[in-house]
Amino acid sequence: MIKETLAQIEELGGRALAAIKESADLDTVNDLRVKILGKKGELTAVLKTMGRLSAEERPVIGARANEVREAVEKAISEQMKKLKLLHYESRIRKEAIDVTLPGKRAASGKPHPMSIVLGDLKDIFRSMGYTVVTGPEIEETRYVFDMLNTHEGHPARDESDTFYVSDDVILRTQTSSVQIRTMLENKPPIAVISPGRVFRRDEVDATHSPVFNQCEALVVDKGITFADLKGTLETFMKRLYGSSVKLRFRPHHFPYTEPSAEVDLSCFKCGGSGCSMCKNEGWIEMLGAGVVHPQVLRNCGIDPEIYSGFAFGVGLERITMMRYEIDDMRHLYENDIRFLKQF
Ligand code: DAH
């Protein structure tokens, strides 16, 4: 009887120790503890049979059973320690941060080429004492046309050129309307530029868009002449395109200036000898300008006997395209990141 029980205890102990060593997680170890040492466990079950043993046999079995129990308990606590350590080690490996890896740079945007040019333009004119003003894009015809000497029947008012909102409200076709608003609200001396969007019923192509941008300039003071206009435009263009460029003034007609001129720039790429940039002309048409018509001053309550002024209007897309040698206006509107990244 005692041999049998001892053998049972040995077999049980050996099996338990092996199972504990092999267990791969804490739950398995815990289950084994219950299965072997628990109230209904296998070792407990063996000990319950001790009643059938003699008084001499019992202490022998009891002692061996205790040894096995201690061995199993020790194996359990060691295995648990080992498994916990393995668990932490794998977590440390998994959650490790390699501080030597290069960081991920956050992608940042940058100004649109038109914004860069507009910024430069504002800097140039502010440095000459001008103020930057703006006016509405949806505008009354009297500010865009009538008060600028452009009366009913003038081709510029034609519906084929202009987006009409109603008979006397339009999407402005030029920033020149801001000249009128400025002169109505301010007494001379006046020196302003006014950048902004304008609208014309044009089809989209490489050089046209129904929405584009202009910048208007207006100076009104005592004794202002065409010479002031020339000097100002020369300073403006040289600062934008480099000191070697020359200007050419061609007679032209605008209803709101007298005299009026179209102003060309000597090609900054070929220096005037002719290239693809200037279409072999040596000159590039840049803007319209002139001496403010006396009637326009009068319309705004300014006495042309005392004051005179000059004005000009330039296309922002045009000067941007020239500056960066962009051959198609649509690039400026399509927001293709490959294009925009270049500036
Ligand atoms: N408004 C003209 C245009 O849209 C440009 C212009 C010409 C503006 C002469 C002016 C000027 O102020 O005096 O083409």
Side-chain angles (χ1 to χ4, degrees), residues 148 173-177 179 198 200 212 214-218 229 252 254 256-257 259-262 287-292 310-314:
L148 284 163
T173 52
Q174 53 183 9
T175 45
S176 302
S177 52
Q179 287 187 30
V198 297
R200 289 182 198 175
F212 62 103
Q214 284 187 333
C215 185
E216 195 78 12
L218 171 71
L229 170 64
H252 199 75
F254 295 106
Y256 32 89
T257 42
S260 305
E262 273 196 330
L287 53 88
V291 171
V292 180
F310 70 74
F312 63 87
V314 59

PDB file of all heavy atoms in Angstrom, residues 148 173-177 179 198 200 212 214-218 229 252 254 256-257 259-262 287-292 310-314, ligand 1:
ATOM      1  N   LEU A 148     -15.331 107.164 -64.001  1.00  0.00           N
ATOM      2  CA  LEU A 148     -14.032 107.049 -64.669  1.00  0.00           C
ATOM      3  C   LEU A 148     -14.149 107.467 -66.135  1.00  0.00           C
ATOM      4  O   LEU A 148     -13.350 107.042 -66.988  1.00  0.00           O
ATOM      5  CB  LEU A 148     -13.505 105.607 -64.566  1.00  0.00           C
ATOM      6  CG  LEU A 148     -12.926 105.197 -63.211  1.00  0.00           C
ATOM      7  CD1 LEU A 148     -12.832 103.673 -63.107  1.00  0.00           C
ATOM      8  CD2 LEU A 148     -11.541 105.803 -62.979  1.00  0.00           C
ATOM      9  N   THR A 173     -14.544  94.947 -63.517  1.00  0.00           N
ATOM     10  CA  THR A 173     -13.682  94.490 -64.612  1.00  0.00           C
ATOM     11  C   THR A 173     -12.278  95.043 -64.464  1.00  0.00           C
ATOM     12  O   THR A 173     -11.383  94.682 -65.213  1.00  0.00           O
ATOM     13  CB  THR A 173     -14.256  94.956 -65.956  1.00  0.00           C
ATOM     14  OG1 THR A 173     -14.496  96.373 -65.865  1.00  0.00           O
ATOM     15  CG2 THR A 173     -15.563  94.248 -66.258  1.00  0.00           C
ATOM     16  N   GLN A 174     -12.091  95.962 -63.524  1.00  0.00           N
ATOM     17  CA  GLN A 174     -10.779  96.583 -63.300  1.00  0.00           C
ATOM     18  C   GLN A 174     -10.738  97.132 -61.867  1.00  0.00           C
ATOM     19  O   GLN A 174     -11.770  97.467 -61.288  1.00  0.00           O
ATOM     20  CB  GLN A 174     -10.558  97.721 -64.296  1.00  0.00           C
ATOM     21  CG  GLN A 174     -11.708  98.735 -64.298  1.00  0.00           C
ATOM     22  CD  GLN A 174     -11.530  99.826 -65.342  1.00  0.00           C
ATOM     23  OE1 GLN A 174     -10.643  99.759 -66.175  1.00  0.00           O
ATOM     24  NE2 GLN A 174     -12.383 100.846 -65.292  1.00  0.00           N
ATOM     25  N   THR A 175      -9.542  97.214 -61.329  1.00  0.00           N
ATOM     26  CA  THR A 175      -9.411  97.772 -59.971  1.00  0.00           C
ATOM     27  C   THR A 175      -9.448  99.301 -59.983  1.00  0.00           C
ATOM     28  O   THR A 175      -9.397  99.930 -58.930  1.00  0.00           O
ATOM     29  CB  THR A 175      -8.087  97.303 -59.315  1.00  0.00           C
ATOM     30  OG1 THR A 175      -7.029  97.424 -60.261  1.00  0.00           O
ATOM     31  CG2 THR A 175      -8.191  95.879 -58.827  1.00  0.00           C
ATOM     32  N   SER A 176      -9.576  99.902 -61.186  1.00  0.00           N
ATOM     33  CA  SER A 176      -9.624 101.367 -61.267  1.00  0.00           C
ATOM     34  C   SER A 176     -10.786 101.955 -60.460  1.00  0.00           C
ATOM     35  O   SER A 176     -10.732 103.124 -60.060  1.00  0.00           O
ATOM     36  CB  SER A 176      -9.728 101.805 -62.727  1.00  0.00           C
ATOM     37  OG  SER A 176      -8.637 101.299 -63.464  1.00  0.00           O
ATOM     38  N   SER A 177     -11.822 101.145 -60.221  1.00  0.00           N
ATOM     39  CA  SER A 177     -12.948 101.604 -59.385  1.00  0.00           C
ATOM     40  C   SER A 177     -12.470 102.085 -58.011  1.00  0.00           C
ATOM     41  O   SER A 177     -13.076 102.988 -57.416  1.00  0.00           O
ATOM     42  CB  SER A 177     -13.947 100.463 -59.204  1.00  0.00           C
ATOM     43  OG  SER A 177     -13.280  99.297 -58.739  1.00  0.00           O
ATOM     44  N   GLN A 179      -9.855 103.732 -57.384  1.00  0.00           N
ATOM     45  CA  GLN A 179      -9.412 105.144 -57.503  1.00  0.00           C
ATOM     46  C   GLN A 179     -10.540 106.074 -57.069  1.00  0.00           C
ATOM     47  O   GLN A 179     -10.324 107.006 -56.286  1.00  0.00           O
ATOM     48  CB  GLN A 179      -9.080 105.480 -58.963  1.00  0.00           C
ATOM     49  CG  GLN A 179      -7.808 104.887 -59.503  1.00  0.00           C
ATOM     50  CD  GLN A 179      -7.515 105.446 -60.903  1.00  0.00           C
ATOM     51  OE1 GLN A 179      -7.884 106.578 -61.225  1.00  0.00           O
ATOM     52  NE2 GLN A 179      -6.840 104.659 -61.720  1.00  0.00           N
ATOM     53  N   VAL A 198     -10.385  90.837 -60.349  1.00  0.00           N
ATOM     54  CA  VAL A 198     -11.280  91.441 -61.332  1.00  0.00           C
ATOM     55  C   VAL A 198     -11.840  90.329 -62.224  1.00  0.00           C
ATOM     56  O   VAL A 198     -11.316  89.214 -62.231  1.00  0.00           O
ATOM     57  CB  VAL A 198     -10.543  92.499 -62.184  1.00  0.00           C
ATOM     58  CG1 VAL A 198     -10.062  93.646 -61.308  1.00  0.00           C
ATOM     59  CG2 VAL A 198      -9.389  91.880 -62.945  1.00  0.00           C
ATOM     60  N   ARG A 200     -13.804  89.192 -66.014  1.00  0.00           N
ATOM     61  CA  ARG A 200     -14.190  89.491 -67.402  1.00  0.00           C
ATOM     62  C   ARG A 200     -14.672  88.230 -68.081  1.00  0.00           C
ATOM     63  O   ARG A 200     -14.222  87.132 -67.739  1.00  0.00           O
ATOM     64  CB  ARG A 200     -12.997  90.076 -68.178  1.00  0.00           C
ATOM     65  CG  ARG A 200     -12.668  91.477 -67.726  1.00  0.00           C
ATOM     66  CD  ARG A 200     -11.535  92.080 -68.517  1.00  0.00           C
ATOM     67  NE  ARG A 200     -11.001  93.224 -67.775  1.00  0.00           N
ATOM     68  CZ  ARG A 200      -9.939  93.927 -68.126  1.00  0.00           C
ATOM     69  NH1 ARG A 200      -9.291  93.619 -69.222  1.00  0.00           N
ATOM     70  NH2 ARG A 200      -9.530  94.936 -67.382  1.00  0.00           N
ATOM     71  N   PHE A 212      -9.081  87.246 -62.659  1.00  0.00           N
ATOM     72  CA  PHE A 212      -7.636  87.442 -62.512  1.00  0.00           C
ATOM     73  C   PHE A 212      -7.393  88.598 -61.542  1.00  0.00           C
ATOM     74  O   PHE A 212      -8.332  89.102 -60.922  1.00  0.00           O
ATOM     75  CB  PHE A 212      -6.953  87.643 -63.870  1.00  0.00           C
ATOM     76  CG  PHE A 212      -7.403  88.841 -64.651  1.00  0.00           C
ATOM     77  CD1 PHE A 212      -6.615  89.985 -64.707  1.00  0.00           C
ATOM     78  CD2 PHE A 212      -8.594  88.831 -65.344  1.00  0.00           C
ATOM     79  CE1 PHE A 212      -7.008  91.088 -65.451  1.00  0.00           C
ATOM     80  CE2 PHE A 212      -9.011  89.931 -66.084  1.00  0.00           C
ATOM     81  CZ  PHE A 212      -8.210  91.067 -66.137  1.00  0.00           C
ATOM     82  N   GLN A 214      -5.437  92.321 -60.433  1.00  0.00           N
ATOM     83  CA  GLN A 214      -4.750  93.542 -60.856  1.00  0.00           C
ATOM     84  C   GLN A 214      -4.217  94.257 -59.621  1.00  0.00           C
ATOM     85  O   GLN A 214      -4.629  93.980 -58.500  1.00  0.00           O
ATOM     86  CB  GLN A 214      -5.729  94.498 -61.564  1.00  0.00           C
ATOM     87  CG  GLN A 214      -6.092  94.102 -62.973  1.00  0.00           C
ATOM     88  CD  GLN A 214      -6.913  95.182 -63.662  1.00  0.00           C
ATOM     89  OE1 GLN A 214      -7.619  95.956 -63.012  1.00  0.00           O
ATOM     90  NE2 GLN A 214      -6.834  95.221 -64.986  1.00  0.00           N
ATOM     91  N   CYS A 215      -3.322  95.199 -59.892  1.00  0.00           N
ATOM     92  CA  CYS A 215      -2.985  96.135 -58.830  1.00  0.00           C
ATOM     93  C   CYS A 215      -3.032  97.533 -59.430  1.00  0.00           C
ATOM     94  O   CYS A 215      -2.420  97.813 -60.457  1.00  0.00           O
ATOM     95  CB  CYS A 215      -1.605  95.842 -58.247  1.00  0.00           C
ATOM     96  SG  CYS A 215      -1.256  96.910 -56.833  1.00  0.00           S
ATOM     97  N   GLU A 216      -3.814  98.366 -58.783  1.00  0.00           N
ATOM     98  CA  GLU A 216      -4.008  99.742 -59.228  1.00  0.00           C
ATOM     99  C   GLU A 216      -3.104 100.640 -58.394  1.00  0.00           C
ATOM    100  O   GLU A 216      -2.837 100.344 -57.228  1.00  0.00           O
ATOM    101  CB  GLU A 216      -5.480 100.109 -58.964  1.00  0.00           C
ATOM    102  CG  GLU A 216      -5.967 101.336 -59.658  1.00  0.00           C
ATOM    103  CD  GLU A 216      -6.263 101.069 -61.134  1.00  0.00           C
ATOM    104  OE1 GLU A 216      -6.309  99.904 -61.538  1.00  0.00           O
ATOM    105  OE2 GLU A 216      -6.434 102.056 -61.870  1.00  0.00           O
ATOM    106  N   ALA A 217      -2.646 101.739 -59.000  1.00  0.00           N
ATOM    107  CA  ALA A 217      -1.926 102.732 -58.198  1.00  0.00           C
ATOM    108  C   ALA A 217      -2.492 104.106 -58.519  1.00  0.00           C
ATOM    109  O   ALA A 217      -2.888 104.366 -59.658  1.00  0.00           O
ATOM    110  CB  ALA A 217      -0.435 102.689 -58.514  1.00  0.00           C
ATOM    111  N   LEU A 218      -2.573 104.949 -57.508  1.00  0.00           N
ATOM    112  CA  LEU A 218      -3.082 106.308 -57.725  1.00  0.00           C
ATOM    113  C   LEU A 218      -2.315 107.277 -56.831  1.00  0.00           C
ATOM    114  O   LEU A 218      -2.141 107.040 -55.638  1.00  0.00           O
ATOM    115  CB  LEU A 218      -4.577 106.372 -57.358  1.00  0.00           C
ATOM    116  CG  LEU A 218      -5.200 107.785 -57.328  1.00  0.00           C
ATOM    117  CD1 LEU A 218      -5.335 108.352 -58.742  1.00  0.00           C
ATOM    118  CD2 LEU A 218      -6.562 107.764 -56.630  1.00  0.00           C
ATOM    119  N   LEU A 229       5.091 109.877 -62.864  1.00  0.00           N
ATOM    120  CA  LEU A 229       4.657 108.536 -63.258  1.00  0.00           C
ATOM    121  C   LEU A 229       5.842 107.734 -63.795  1.00  0.00           C
ATOM    122  O   LEU A 229       6.061 106.586 -63.390  1.00  0.00           O
ATOM    123  CB  LEU A 229       3.557 108.648 -64.331  1.00  0.00           C
ATOM    124  CG  LEU A 229       3.161 107.340 -65.024  1.00  0.00           C
ATOM    125  CD1 LEU A 229       2.537 106.363 -64.050  1.00  0.00           C
ATOM    126  CD2 LEU A 229       2.202 107.620 -66.185  1.00  0.00           C
ATOM    127  N   HIS A 252      -1.472 105.761 -75.885  1.00  0.00           N
ATOM    128  CA  HIS A 252      -2.623 104.872 -75.861  1.00  0.00           C
ATOM    129  C   HIS A 252      -3.839 105.686 -75.450  1.00  0.00           C
ATOM    130  O   HIS A 252      -3.720 106.896 -75.198  1.00  0.00           O
ATOM    131  CB  HIS A 252      -2.370 103.732 -74.857  1.00  0.00           C
ATOM    132  CG  HIS A 252      -3.255 102.540 -75.064  1.00  0.00           C
ATOM    133  ND1 HIS A 252      -3.066 101.656 -76.094  1.00  0.00           N
ATOM    134  CD2 HIS A 252      -4.339 102.094 -74.383  1.00  0.00           C
ATOM    135  CE1 HIS A 252      -3.992 100.709 -76.037  1.00  0.00           C
ATOM    136  NE2 HIS A 252      -4.782 100.956 -75.001  1.00  0.00           N
ATOM    137  N   PHE A 254      -6.997 105.699 -72.640  1.00  0.00           N
ATOM    138  CA  PHE A 254      -7.901 105.239 -71.584  1.00  0.00           C
ATOM    139  C   PHE A 254      -8.816 106.408 -71.273  1.00  0.00           C
ATOM    140  O   PHE A 254      -8.360 107.563 -71.292  1.00  0.00           O
ATOM    141  CB  PHE A 254      -7.125 104.838 -70.318  1.00  0.00           C
ATOM    142  CG  PHE A 254      -6.217 103.656 -70.509  1.00  0.00           C
ATOM    143  CD1 PHE A 254      -4.844 103.831 -70.575  1.00  0.00           C
ATOM    144  CD2 PHE A 254      -6.728 102.362 -70.612  1.00  0.00           C
ATOM    145  CE1 PHE A 254      -3.988 102.746 -70.762  1.00  0.00           C
ATOM    146  CE2 PHE A 254      -5.876 101.275 -70.796  1.00  0.00           C
ATOM    147  CZ  PHE A 254      -4.508 101.466 -70.867  1.00  0.00           C
ATOM    148  N   TYR A 256      -9.965 107.499 -68.606  1.00  0.00           N
ATOM    149  CA  TYR A 256      -9.768 108.145 -67.304  1.00  0.00           C
ATOM    150  C   TYR A 256      -8.394 108.765 -67.131  1.00  0.00           C
ATOM    151  O   TYR A 256      -8.050 109.241 -66.052  1.00  0.00           O
ATOM    152  CB  TYR A 256     -10.054 107.156 -66.155  1.00  0.00           C
ATOM    153  CG  TYR A 256      -9.702 105.721 -66.492  1.00  0.00           C
ATOM    154  CD1 TYR A 256      -8.435 105.215 -66.242  1.00  0.00           C
ATOM    155  CD2 TYR A 256     -10.646 104.900 -67.091  1.00  0.00           C
ATOM    156  CE1 TYR A 256      -8.115 103.904 -66.582  1.00  0.00           C
ATOM    157  CE2 TYR A 256     -10.339 103.586 -67.432  1.00  0.00           C
ATOM    158  CZ  TYR A 256      -9.082 103.101 -67.183  1.00  0.00           C
ATOM    159  OH  TYR A 256      -8.770 101.816 -67.536  1.00  0.00           O
ATOM    160  N   THR A 257      -7.561 108.702 -68.183  1.00  0.00           N
ATOM    161  CA  THR A 257      -6.255 109.378 -68.111  1.00  0.00           C
ATOM    162  C   THR A 257      -6.016 110.186 -69.382  1.00  0.00           C
ATOM    163  O   THR A 257      -6.496 109.831 -70.459  1.00  0.00           O
ATOM    164  CB  THR A 257      -5.101 108.364 -67.934  1.00  0.00           C
ATOM    165  OG1 THR A 257      -5.327 107.244 -68.782  1.00  0.00           O
ATOM    166  CG2 THR A 257      -4.969 107.905 -66.507  1.00  0.00           C
ATOM    167  N   PRO A 259      -2.519 112.622 -70.697  1.00  0.00           N
ATOM    168  CA  PRO A 259      -2.344 111.567 -71.697  1.00  0.00           C
ATOM    169  C   PRO A 259      -2.306 110.164 -71.069  1.00  0.00           C
ATOM    170  O   PRO A 259      -2.101 110.023 -69.862  1.00  0.00           O
ATOM    171  CB  PRO A 259      -0.975 111.920 -72.294  1.00  0.00           C
ATOM    172  CG  PRO A 259      -0.243 112.617 -71.195  1.00  0.00           C
ATOM    173  CD  PRO A 259      -1.288 113.369 -70.426  1.00  0.00           C
ATOM    174  N   SER A 260      -2.504 109.172 -71.951  1.00  0.00           N
ATOM    175  CA  SER A 260      -2.446 107.769 -71.514  1.00  0.00           C
ATOM    176  C   SER A 260      -1.306 107.068 -72.235  1.00  0.00           C
ATOM    177  O   SER A 260      -0.913 107.486 -73.323  1.00  0.00           O
ATOM    178  CB  SER A 260      -3.748 107.043 -71.856  1.00  0.00           C
ATOM    179  OG  SER A 260      -4.862 107.716 -71.306  1.00  0.00           O
ATOM    180  N   ALA A 261      -0.837 105.998 -71.613  1.00  0.00           N
ATOM    181  CA  ALA A 261       0.246 105.246 -72.245  1.00  0.00           C
ATOM    182  C   ALA A 261       0.140 103.766 -71.911  1.00  0.00           C
ATOM    183  O   ALA A 261      -0.406 103.389 -70.864  1.00  0.00           O
ATOM    184  CB  ALA A 261       1.598 105.774 -71.762  1.00  0.00           C
ATOM    185  N   GLU A 262       0.651 102.968 -72.820  1.00  0.00           N
ATOM    186  CA  GLU A 262       0.923 101.578 -72.472  1.00  0.00           C
ATOM    187  C   GLU A 262       2.420 101.483 -72.266  1.00  0.00           C
ATOM    188  O   GLU A 262       3.195 102.111 -72.994  1.00  0.00           O
ATOM    189  CB  GLU A 262       0.452 100.630 -73.571  1.00  0.00           C
ATOM    190  CG  GLU A 262      -1.009 100.262 -73.359  1.00  0.00           C
ATOM    191  CD  GLU A 262      -1.449  99.053 -74.160  1.00  0.00           C
ATOM    192  OE1 GLU A 262      -0.900  98.805 -75.244  1.00  0.00           O
ATOM    193  OE2 GLU A 262      -2.364  98.365 -73.684  1.00  0.00           O
ATOM    194  N   LEU A 287       1.806  97.210 -68.649  1.00  0.00           N
ATOM    195  CA  LEU A 287       0.705  97.848 -67.939  1.00  0.00           C
ATOM    196  C   LEU A 287       0.174  99.077 -68.669  1.00  0.00           C
ATOM    197  O   LEU A 287       0.770  99.552 -69.635  1.00  0.00           O
ATOM    198  CB  LEU A 287       1.154  98.239 -66.522  1.00  0.00           C
ATOM    199  CG  LEU A 287       2.433  99.075 -66.381  1.00  0.00           C
ATOM    200  CD1 LEU A 287       2.140 100.561 -66.464  1.00  0.00           C
ATOM    201  CD2 LEU A 287       3.097  98.773 -65.057  1.00  0.00           C
ATOM    202  N   GLY A 288      -0.977  99.578 -68.171  1.00  0.00           N
ATOM    203  CA  GLY A 288      -1.567 100.808 -68.683  1.00  0.00           C
ATOM    204  C   GLY A 288      -1.422 101.897 -67.630  1.00  0.00           C
ATOM    205  O   GLY A 288      -1.477 101.631 -66.425  1.00  0.00           O
ATOM    206  N   ALA A 289      -1.232 103.147 -68.107  1.00  0.00           N
ATOM    207  CA  ALA A 289      -0.974 104.228 -67.151  1.00  0.00           C
ATOM    208  C   ALA A 289      -1.332 105.572 -67.766  1.00  0.00           C
ATOM    209  O   ALA A 289      -1.640 105.662 -68.955  1.00  0.00           O
ATOM    210  CB  ALA A 289       0.503 104.213 -66.756  1.00  0.00           C
ATOM    211  N   GLY A 290      -1.305 106.604 -66.948  1.00  0.00           N
ATOM    212  CA  GLY A 290      -1.536 107.933 -67.496  1.00  0.00           C
ATOM    213  C   GLY A 290      -1.685 108.984 -66.410  1.00  0.00           C
ATOM    214  O   GLY A 290      -1.584 108.694 -65.213  1.00  0.00           O
ATOM    215  N   VAL A 291      -1.905 110.211 -66.878  1.00  0.00           N
ATOM    216  CA  VAL A 291      -2.163 111.328 -65.968  1.00  0.00           C
ATOM    217  C   VAL A 291      -3.672 111.408 -65.761  1.00  0.00           C
ATOM    218  O   VAL A 291      -4.434 111.407 -66.744  1.00  0.00           O
ATOM    219  CB  VAL A 291      -1.617 112.653 -66.567  1.00  0.00           C
ATOM    220  CG1 VAL A 291      -2.083 113.855 -65.731  1.00  0.00           C
ATOM    221  CG2 VAL A 291      -0.093 112.597 -66.630  1.00  0.00           C
ATOM    222  N   VAL A 292      -4.095 111.438 -64.531  1.00  0.00           N
ATOM    223  CA  VAL A 292      -5.532 111.355 -64.221  1.00  0.00           C
ATOM    224  C   VAL A 292      -6.295 112.464 -64.957  1.00  0.00           C
ATOM    225  O   VAL A 292      -5.919 113.642 -64.903  1.00  0.00           O
ATOM    226  CB  VAL A 292      -5.785 111.447 -62.697  1.00  0.00           C
ATOM    227  CG1 VAL A 292      -7.289 111.349 -62.398  1.00  0.00           C
ATOM    228  CG2 VAL A 292      -5.025 110.337 -61.961  1.00  0.00           C
ATOM    229  N   PHE A 310      -1.363 110.872 -61.149  1.00  0.00           N
ATOM    230  CA  PHE A 310      -1.150 109.809 -62.144  1.00  0.00           C
ATOM    231  C   PHE A 310      -1.713 108.505 -61.609  1.00  0.00           C
ATOM    232  O   PHE A 310      -1.968 108.375 -60.397  1.00  0.00           O
ATOM    233  CB  PHE A 310       0.337 109.669 -62.522  1.00  0.00           C
ATOM    234  CG  PHE A 310       1.239 109.107 -61.439  1.00  0.00           C
ATOM    235  CD1 PHE A 310       1.215 107.762 -61.096  1.00  0.00           C
ATOM    236  CD2 PHE A 310       2.142 109.942 -60.770  1.00  0.00           C
ATOM    237  CE1 PHE A 310       2.057 107.255 -60.116  1.00  0.00           C
ATOM    238  CE2 PHE A 310       2.987 109.437 -59.779  1.00  0.00           C
ATOM    239  CZ  PHE A 310       2.941 108.089 -59.451  1.00  0.00           C
ATOM    240  N   ALA A 311      -1.938 107.564 -62.526  1.00  0.00           N
ATOM    241  CA  ALA A 311      -2.487 106.266 -62.134  1.00  0.00           C
ATOM    242  C   ALA A 311      -1.945 105.202 -63.073  1.00  0.00           C
ATOM    243  O   ALA A 311      -1.535 105.502 -64.195  1.00  0.00           O
ATOM    244  CB  ALA A 311      -4.008 106.290 -62.195  1.00  0.00           C
ATOM    245  N   PHE A 312      -1.914 104.001 -62.574  1.00  0.00           N
ATOM    246  CA  PHE A 312      -1.648 102.880 -63.486  1.00  0.00           C
ATOM    247  C   PHE A 312      -2.282 101.610 -62.935  1.00  0.00           C
ATOM    248  O   PHE A 312      -2.655 101.540 -61.761  1.00  0.00           O
ATOM    249  CB  PHE A 312      -0.149 102.695 -63.753  1.00  0.00           C
ATOM    250  CG  PHE A 312       0.685 102.341 -62.540  1.00  0.00           C
ATOM    251  CD1 PHE A 312       0.848 101.029 -62.146  1.00  0.00           C
ATOM    252  CD2 PHE A 312       1.331 103.352 -61.816  1.00  0.00           C
ATOM    253  CE1 PHE A 312       1.637 100.712 -61.044  1.00  0.00           C
ATOM    254  CE2 PHE A 312       2.122 103.036 -60.715  1.00  0.00           C
ATOM    255  CZ  PHE A 312       2.271 101.731 -60.327  1.00  0.00           C
ATOM    256  N   GLY A 313      -2.430 100.651 -63.833  1.00  0.00           N
ATOM    257  CA  GLY A 313      -2.999  99.360 -63.421  1.00  0.00           C
ATOM    258  C   GLY A 313      -2.189  98.256 -64.068  1.00  0.00           C
ATOM    259  O   GLY A 313      -1.900  98.309 -65.254  1.00  0.00           O
ATOM    260  N   VAL A 314      -1.808  97.279 -63.253  1.00  0.00           N
ATOM    261  CA  VAL A 314      -0.945  96.208 -63.752  1.00  0.00           C
ATOM    262  C   VAL A 314      -1.561  94.849 -63.395  1.00  0.00           C
ATOM    263  O   VAL A 314      -2.172  94.694 -62.335  1.00  0.00           O
ATOM    264  CB  VAL A 314       0.494  96.356 -63.177  1.00  0.00           C
ATOM    265  CG1 VAL A 314       0.501  96.328 -61.674  1.00  0.00           C
ATOM    266  CG2 VAL A 314       1.439  95.320 -63.744  1.00  0.00           C
TER     267      VAL A 314
HETATM  268  N1  DAH B   1      -7.804  99.670 -66.012  1.00  0.00           N
HETATM  269  C1  DAH B   1      -6.859  99.330 -67.047  1.00  0.00           C
HETATM  270  C2  DAH B   1      -7.048  97.873 -67.450  1.00  0.00           C
HETATM  271  O1  DAH B   1      -7.772  97.166 -66.790  1.00  0.00           O
HETATM  272  C3  DAH B   1      -5.442  99.524 -66.578  1.00  0.00           C
HETATM  273  C4  DAH B   1      -5.176 100.972 -66.289  1.00  0.00           C
HETATM  274  C5  DAH B   1      -4.786 101.804 -67.300  1.00  0.00           C
HETATM  275  C6  DAH B   1      -5.288 101.453 -65.020  1.00  0.00           C
HETATM  276  C7  DAH B   1      -4.528 103.139 -67.079  1.00  0.00           C
HETATM  277  C8  DAH B   1      -5.026 102.797 -64.763  1.00  0.00           C
HETATM  278  C9  DAH B   1      -4.634 103.622 -65.810  1.00  0.00           C
HETATM  279  O2  DAH B   1      -5.116 103.338 -63.559  1.00  0.00           O
HETATM  280  O3  DAH B   1      -4.386 104.929 -65.560  1.00  0.00           O
HETATM  281  O4  DAH B   1      -6.498  97.460 -68.438  1.00  0.00           O
END
